[in-house]
Amino acid sequence: MDTQRQRLTVRGIVQGVGFRPFVYRLAHELALNGWVRNDGQGVTLEIEGSPIHLAQFADRLRGDAPPLARIDRLDAVPVAARRPFAGFRILHSDAAGNEAAIGADSCTCPACLAELFDPADRRYRYAFINCTDCGPRYTLVSRLPYDRANTSMAAFAQCAPCRSEYTDPLHRRFHAEPNACPDCGPQLQLLDATGAPIAGDAIAQTLALIARGGIVAIKGLGGFHLVCDARNATAVATLRARKQREEKPLAVMVANVASLAGVADANDAERGWLTSGARPIVLVDKTTDTDRQLAGVAPQLASIGVMLPYTPIHYLLFHEAAGRPAGVAWLEQPQSLALVMTSANPHGEPLVIDNREALTQLAGIADAFLLHDRDIVIRCDDSVVRVDSQGAPQFVRRARGYTPRAVPLATAGAPVLALGGFFKNTLCLTRGDQAFLSQYIGDLDRVANCLALEAACEHLMHLLHVTPQLVAHDRHPNFFSTQLASRLAAQWQVPCIAVQHHHAHIAAVLAEHGLDQPVLGLALDGVGLGDDGTAWGGELLRVEGADYRRLGHLRPIAMPGADRAAREPWRMAAAALAKLGRADEIATRFAAQPGAGLVAQLLARPQPLTTSMGRYFDAAAGLLGIAPTMSFEAQAAMLLEGAAAQHGACAPESDLYRIDESLQLDLSPLLARLADCDRRGHGAALFHAVLVEALADWVAVAAAQSGVRTVAGGGGCFLNALLRDGLHHALARRGLTLYTSQAVPCGDGGLALGQAWVARRMAASQAGGPGSLA
């Protein structure tokens, strides 16, 4: 049979995931000769053998790839054979090129867990066990190719047994870059609040401190957690007080799905996301016993954020609490330990990642510090996911486990750096037909977060070897992200493109779903600068690529005290009363609030106006007495949703909203009903039911006028499950299809993707190229 030779290039997540040893084993199995190596673009290989075996090789390369691998493109071309290959080899990496991708951090795999809890294994209870199928990736790599010398593991020389594994193509630790053992790898150290070492086993002493009600700062993959006993209400209250986190919900880690009993009511889809390799925090419905078992963790809310262990350190804490059983059978059994795991950062500051930084910035918060000596190259917080009624994810925060996974784009284009907005900032960098979103940065109201944005920008560009040809940003001139965009564009001498906030929200949905057609954009959020200089947030747009047109909006409502009204829902309730001609009720109805009389006077004069859907949620919560004030963003909307969910479904009433000829949606009748409602749960349920029907009718009118039947919904309000799921069904009944974000957050955390998509369309349109609207 004739022998043929092929060169294959594989692009995607194929470095640091065991892809080369997989190729090596497959080639030997099929009696193929040749070589494979990492390069700056991914993996390249040459193979020769019979045509039948070459065809089988190509099929199995995709079908049998390692669990953490993702093949985006596989190209095979015939090459002339100069002389026959002798066997199959794995060659040293070639750094040329610029298209490689690095995988996200992944939870400890079953094979490593079996070793971790095997008393006879040399890695028994070793806190940094990993292999090519699991462990850190993004948070320890400084540049590509993904080789040990380019990671924070470069400081640890492997011992002879580890080196033997690392160089054996048949071993699952072949070129596992973080590979180590107790003799040669990173080590744990437990320090007290003064920085002095605490004697004894670090894991055992950490658990003992937590059991006594202490708070321990624990270094993880992308940063530190502050950890305490979730079942100890006093410890939880102490953590809240020290971290200045009065009411914002805290995440809880349990050993396994079986341990959720009584704590959270997870369905099959939610269990699937909890046990996925990314191990996000999943928002799950509470049980009737949650608040008794975990008092103070997620007060007054309908859901609680839960996650499962994803690092060996996490597993070792649960293992210690279980009495150090041998084997892994205990991992399937319910465990009583429940740990609060919240991001370790002073109020509003970036996540702490450095040991010295932890000892200073977390002083006064943590009673002890569980440290290790493996550096974290880039901070990356936990991802937070909510699962919709169809089992699809809705990202609240996209970070560890997902960054820097690319979002595929429908077409290739010029590389764009988009710098997002002000709240929940992330950045986006495009390369070819892929968009890479950074990890969650946070609100840009602090210098440290602004510096973190700059660092994330530099790191991602360096990692992907991309020099932007366009820079995109929000239209608001005072955002730090806007100012950074202007500075970088001037430095690189490239165009700087401003993208309207709500256009970007809708564009993010179009980018994710590969939609290249006119759509009706339903943008519902807290605030974004509008074309007229006012605060928008309840917008009905017609979007076609780089173009958009405002078709309609919510009826404007006053914001007494401007930005202060966004933090004090009673002020929005007062504005609603004034709008209804009932301003004389404000002073007495809100007598418990300082300045109620003054607000009544303010509303007699012109005030800043907004069309924000978020402020309508605040007004409803304020009128119902559910949340007069807020201690964190969107708290009122979350409490309103929780009250509605607890009450149950409520029939909508069509006379509680109006749509005028200018496509302005007026919810005044609904607010009037809520102002006289003395049943909070019923009022919250009625608000949601009417809002869904009102929005669906509003969109349907626009669809009838425009002939556009596809709807894209974006903005932070789509995190509300009652609103999102209700709109999907209500629009479907009207013959309309609604698309919402799944791969990226629907709120401002996904804004940068939309900015990048619009900027590329604008550039193409101006050049008359693909995507041009000319």
Side-chain angles (χ1 to χ4, degrees), residues 84-159:
F85 287 128
F88 194 91
R89 296 183 299 155
I90 297 177
L91 304 182
H92 290 297
S93 298
D94 177 5
N98 63 354
E99 293 184 10
I102 184 66
D105 298 337
S106 182
C107 71
T108 309
C109 72
C112 283
L113 289 177
E115 295 174 347
L116 185 64
F117 303 125
D118 179 1
D121 193 273
R122 72 189 187 95
R123 291 187 176 87
Y124 176 60
R125 299 185 70 246
Y126 181 54
F128 303 93
I129 191 170
N130 69 90
C131 69
T132 52
D133 292 336
C134 68
R137 298 289 190 277
Y138 176 66
T139 52
L140 58 69
V141 64
S142 57
R143 59 186 178 274
L144 293 177
Y146 179 64
D147 290 330
R148 191 178 181 98
N150 297 333
T151 74
S152 57
M153 287 299 295
F156 300 93
Q158 296 181 85
C159 63

Side-chain angles (χ1 to χ4, degrees), residues 118-405:
D118 179 1
D121 193 273
R122 72 189 187 95
R123 291 187 176 87
Y124 176 60
R125 299 185 70 246
Y126 181 54
F128 303 93
I129 191 170
N130 69 90
C131 69
T132 52
D133 292 336
C134 68
R137 298 289 190 277
Y138 176 66
T139 52
L140 58 69
V141 64
S142 57
R143 59 186 178 274
L144 293 177
Y146 179 64
D147 290 330
R148 191 178 181 98
N150 297 333
T151 74
S152 57
M153 287 299 295
F156 300 93
Q158 296 181 85
C159 63
C162 286
R163 185 69 187 173
S164 176
E165 297 167 341
Y166 183 84
T167 56
D168 180 1
L170 299 179
H171 200 283
R172 83 172 198 281
R173 291 193 170 91
F174 176 75
H175 278 261
E177 306 308 345
N179 185 41
C181 75
D183 293 333
C184 66
Q187 302 293 324
L188 289 177
Q189 184 180 33
L190 182 63
L191 306 181
D192 66 17
T194 69
I198 296 176
D201 182 89
I203 293 294
Q205 293 298 327
T206 296
L207 188 65
L209 281 167
I210 292 171
R212 293 196 298 268
I215 299 166
V216 182
I218 298 179
K219 188 176 184 180
L221 288 183
F224 280 75
H225 282 116
L226 289 168
V227 183
C228 73
D229 183 356
R231 299 185 189 277
N232 185 329
T234 301
V236 173
T238 300
L239 175 57
R240 285 192 176 281
R242 291 181 185 178
K243 201 185 174 188
Q244 302 177 49
R245 186 168 176 151
E246 296 176 5
E247 296 177 306
K248 193 173 183 179
L250 300 166
V252 173
M253 179 179 285
V254 295
N256 48 39
V257 168
S259 302
L260 289 174
V263 172
D265 187 18
N267 59 35
D268 288 344
E270 290 162 342
R271 292 188 187 98
W273 286 98
L274 282 166
T275 57
S276 67
R279 287 291 200 274
I281 297 170
V282 181
L283 301 181
V284 179
D285 288 345
K286 287 180 178 178
T287 69
T288 55
D289 202 36
T290 300
D291 288 333
R292 183 191 67 80
Q293 291 197 41
L294 307 177
V297 170
Q300 302 181 66
L301 298 178
S303 61
I304 183 171
V306 293
M307 61 176 161
L308 303 187
Y310 57 85
T311 71
I313 294 175
H314 298 151
Y315 279 106
L316 288 170
L317 289 171
F318 287 99
H319 183 243
E320 189 72 25
R324 297 191 186 179
V328 295
W330 69 275
L331 286 171
E332 304 301 320
Q333 301 162 359
Q335 305 294 325
S336 62
L337 180 64
L339 298 173
V340 165
M341 286 267 177
T342 188
S343 303
N345 57 319
H347 184 67
E349 296 289 324
L351 183 66
V352 173
I353 62 172
D354 178 76
N355 290 349
R356 293 181 183 176
E357 185 181 51
L359 291 169
T360 55
Q361 293 196 24
L362 302 179
I365 301 177
D367 298 310
F369 301 83
L370 183 59
L371 310 178
H372 60 73
D373 51 353
R374 184 179 70 197
D375 289 342
I376 297 171
V377 174
I378 192 73
R379 58 176 46 86
C380 197
D381 214 333
D382 293 315
S383 294
V384 183
V385 170
R386 190 170 192 169
V387 182
D388 69 15
S389 59
Q390 305 302 312
Q394 299 286 330
F395 279 93
V396 180
R397 185 169 69 202
R398 186 181 187 271
R400 180 194 51 74
Y402 298 94
T403 302
R405 293 186 190 177

Side-chain angles (χ1 to χ4, degrees), residues 3 10 13 38 76 81 132 145 220 261 273 345 462 621 647 651 655 681 752 774:
T3 296
V10 190
I13 300 174
N38 281 347
T132 52
W273 286 98
N345 57 319
H462 182 66
H647 177 276
D655 61 343

Side-chain angles (χ1 to χ4, degrees), residues 437-450:
L437 263 71
S438 75
Q439 67 277 18
Y440 171 84
I441 305 296
D443 298 347
L444 300 182
D445 57 350
R446 293 174 181 266
V447 171
N449 289 343
C450 296

Side-chain angles (χ1 to χ4, degrees), residues 537-548:
E539 313 305 315
L540 186 53
L541 310 175
R542 186 184 190 277
V543 176
E544 185 173 4
D547 280 355
Y548 76 96

